[in-house]
Amino acid sequence: MRRDQVVHFIYPVMYFLVRTVNQWRKQEPITWGENVTMMVITMVIIYFFIWMWNWSKKPYQWGKKNNKEI
């Protein structure tokens, strides 16, 4: 993962903070489990998307087989 792609993990953290502060401000019970679960699931999805994106950008080496000619 490249350094410039790590910035995408700010979005789940911001969601967690905004959701938790909003529940606190409205004096609702804060659902810590739901908030943390959504943050972790979103981070995993972002990680796999970035991983697949970087994998798809790697060119395939055609004709680089280890077969020796007879």
Side-chain angles (χ1 to χ4, degrees), residues 7-18:
V7 74
H8 295 293
F9 289 102
I10 274 185
Y11 299 117
V13 174
M14 289 302 298
Y15 170 79
F16 172 78
L17 291 174
V18 167

Side-chain angles (χ1 to χ4, degrees), residues 1-69:
M1 185 175 316
R2 296 187 331 228
R3 181 175 284 201
D4 62 338
Q5 293 173 335
V6 174
V7 74
H8 295 293
F9 289 102
I10 274 185
Y11 299 117
V13 174
M14 289 302 298
Y15 170 79
F16 172 78
L17 291 174
V18 167
R19 177 130 170 126
T20 304
V21 169
N22 191 27
Q23 288 175 349
W24 175 72
R25 187 178 57 85
K26 290 182 178 180
Q27 296 182 358
E28 296 177 1
I30 298 176
T31 54
W32 293 104
E34 182 180 324
N35 295 350
V36 171
T37 303
M38 285 301 294
M39 181 180 69
V40 170
I41 288 172
T42 308
M43 283 182 162
V44 168
I45 290 170
I46 289 172
Y47 174 77
F48 280 123
F49 179 77
I50 291 173
W51 179 68
M52 292 297 288
W53 182 268
N54 290 337
W55 176 76
S56 70
K57 295 295 180 186
K58 185 176 179 182
Y60 181 74
Q61 301 294 324
W62 293 98
K64 292 274 185 168
K65 296 180 182 177
N66 290 331
N67 296 337
K68 295 182 180 180
E69 294 184 28

